[in-house]
Each structure stands twice: as C-alpha cells, then as structure tokens.
Amino acid sequence: MVTLNDYLFVSGLLFAIGFAGVMLRRNILIIFMCLELMLNAANLSLVAFSRFNLTPERTPNYNAQVLVFFIITVAAAEVAVGLAIIVALYRAKQTVQVNDINKLQF
Amino acid sequence: MPPLLFWTFAALMLIFGISVIAQPNPVSSALSLVVSFIALAVLFVSLDAFFIGIIQILVYAGAVMVLFLFIIMLLDLRSGQRKKAHAVTVAGGILIALIFVAELGQVLHAFPEGNRTAPALGAPVQDVQSVGHVLFTSYNLPFQIVAVLILVATIGVVVLSKKELD
C-alpha cells in the first residue's frame, strides 16, 4: 500500500527537480516555472499530512488544506506580478536570459 | 488508491517535471508543466482532497499556465537563442539536488511514523463544505487579507505594464 513516506518522497523529488531547474536554466521564464514546481511540491506534502493525520472525528485535517488554498491564491498573484516584471524587463533589455541581466551584479 | 495508480501518476508528474527543465523551447516547457500539474491534481484527489485537486486544475493548469503561454508567445522567444549554463553551474545544480534527495531519503528512513498507510475515514469526506467552513471561521481574517493582496497585485500589474515605466 501507499505510505506517507511515499508521498513525502515524491514531493521531495518534485522539489529537487524544481530546484535543479532554477540552477540549470538561464531563461527567466523557465526559472519562474520551476519556482511554481517547488511551490506545488510543498502543497503535495501538506495535503499528504492532512490526510494521514486525522482529527478525532476521523476527518482529514482541513487546516492544512486551507493553507494549500492560500498558497495557490498567493502563487497566482505572484505569477501575475512576476510576469508583469518580466515583460517590463524584456521591454527595457530585449532579453530574457539571466546572464544578460546583470546591472545589480557585484 | 491502488499503489499502481499512485506510482503511475507520480512517475508522470516527475517525468514531465524533468521535461520542463530539459525542453529547449519555452512553449514545450509550459505544456509539460501543465501535464505535471494535472498529474499532481490526481495525487491530491487520491488523498481525498477533491476541492484542492479541482482548484489545482482550474487555477494552475488553467489560469496560471495560460498566462505563462500568453507571455511566452507575446515575447516571441526563439528557441535558438538559448544560452548554455557553465559546466560548473550544471554540475553544482545537479549535485545539490542529489544531495537534497539523499538527505531526504535518510530523514524519511529515520521516520518510522511515516511508514504507515492512510487511516480509514469516519465518513465520506464533505470536502468543499469542510474547507469552506474552516476558511470562513478560523481563517476569516487571513482570507480577507488575501483578498486585499490580490487587489494590490492587480494594481501593481497595471502600474508595471504602463508605458512610461521604461
């Protein structure tokens, strides 16, 4: 049967994939997508904990699912603002490669 | 959920997750991410979180990824202009991810409480009702604050998109 550790391990693997993507890719849009991947990995472990730790009434712990709801809402707002920043950046620099965007670099 | 289905959808999610970072074309990456999110929504449903699974598909696979595709096509990126990362960066990124996975395996190995199957539910879940009840009673104030946050984000996007900025 599927155990809590299986869900946590899959969630950790998804987080590692997102993290590797942030390190490996130079395209700022794909880096942004990998951030979404990492957020979703956290959501998966939250929902798994909610299902495996029942309340005394034997229902899933809905506090965790409300937290996931908030994460999804805030992530949607974050995507809107982040993409607006990327479009403004592209207008100013004509590039989406992070290597070419180094004005703040030491 | 039968283990076979769980591992099928988990593998689907991870393979398309890897495809996100392996595809040279940003459009292919975005579409891979949609498939990955849908497989993740199936895993949510397997955990009896039907409401979260549905909003995962509606908000993420629907709204957010369409916004991504819209911006990618608006910017007119050619896949040919992809720049390779340094070999050191590639090795470092993969190494840190592998160290993270190894450490995770060790932590989960030393966590015997996680080695159990899902306990039986008292009754079939009334998912939307229960989440809504918790949301509007215990978490009413954070809910209102999130509403203000989305308003601020909307105004911020309008300001950022104005022509005078550049």
Side-chain angles (χ1 to χ4, degrees):
Chain A
M1 286 303 287
V2 187
T3 63
L4 175 59
N5 275 351
D6 292 338
Y7 278 102
L8 295 183
F9 190 64
V10 167
S11 145
L13 281 178
L14 190 64
F15 187 90
I17 290 171
F19 182 77
V22 171
M23 301 287 285
L24 300 184
R25 294 303 300 263
R26 302 287 92 190
N27 186 327
I28 197 165
L29 281 160
I30 292 178
I31 290 177
F32 206 41
M33 285 182 213
C34 290
L35 290 181
E36 299 303 311
L37 222 50
M38 289 157 82
L39 279 173
N40 278 288
N43 284 352
L44 179 59
S45 47
L46 277 172
V47 175
F49 280 126
S50 133
R51 178 64 182 82
F52 281 79
N53 291 301
L54 299 186
T55 55
E57 297 87 52
R58 305 198 70 70
T59 60
N61 193 335
Y62 284 108
N63 289 315
Q65 297 197 15
V66 169
L67 184 53
V68 172
F69 176 82
F70 282 136
I71 291 175
I72 291 179
T73 319
V74 172
E78 174 229 332
V79 166
V81 175
L83 286 176
I85 291 174
I86 290 174
V87 170
L89 199 61
Y90 186 79
R91 270 208 224 125
K93 307 275 282 187
Q94 300 298 316
T95 182
V96 288
Q97 306 292 324
V98 285
N99 288 357
D100 303 333
I101 305 165
N102 52 9
K103 206 157 203 176
L104 284 177
Q105 203 171 39
F106 178 62
Chain B
M1 187 184 223
L4 180 67
L5 276 179
F6 168 77
W7 289 113
T8 306
F9 282 104
L12 202 64
M13 180 180 83
L14 295 174
I15 288 169
F16 278 92
I18 291 171
S19 163
V20 171
I21 58 177
Q23 295 281 356
N25 189 343
V27 177
S28 316
S29 290
L31 292 176
S32 305
L33 196 55
V34 172
V35 179
S36 185
F37 282 165
I38 290 174
L40 181 61
V42 174
L43 292 188
F44 285 158
V45 169
S46 82
L47 288 164
D48 293 304
F50 302 102
F51 176 64
I52 300 295
I54 293 293
I55 61 169
Q56 172 80 15
I57 289 181
L58 287 184
V59 175
Y60 260 118
V64 168
M65 292 320 296
V66 168
L67 191 60
F68 260 107
L69 280 173
F70 191 74
I71 297 297
I72 290 170
M73 290 172 177
L74 191 73
L75 296 187
D76 187 27
L77 306 171
R78 279 165 302 279
S79 56
Q81 60 174 214
R82 176 186 182 184
K83 287 202 179 130
K84 285 279 182 205
H86 284 289
V88 182
T89 322
V90 173
I94 292 175
L95 187 71
I96 293 176
L98 286 181
I99 289 173
F100 175 77
V101 171
E103 208 160 313
L104 180 81
Q106 215 172 10
V107 167
L108 291 183
H109 189 69
F111 180 54
E113 264 190 71
N115 226 338
R116 62 198 166 97
T117 55
L121 291 169
V125 289
Q126 297 290 327
D127 198 49
V128 180
Q129 189 194 357
S130 311
V131 172
H133 189 261
V134 177
L135 191 61
F136 285 112
T137 52
S138 314
Y139 294 94
N140 202 2
L141 182 63
F143 186 66
Q144 310 288 338
I145 293 173
V146 164
V148 176
L149 176 80
I150 290 180
L151 179 66
V152 171
T154 314
I155 297 170
V157 169
V158 172
V159 170
L160 278 172
S161 312
K162 279 182 107 170
K163 204 72 185 155
E164 300 92 89
L165 197 74
D166 50 17

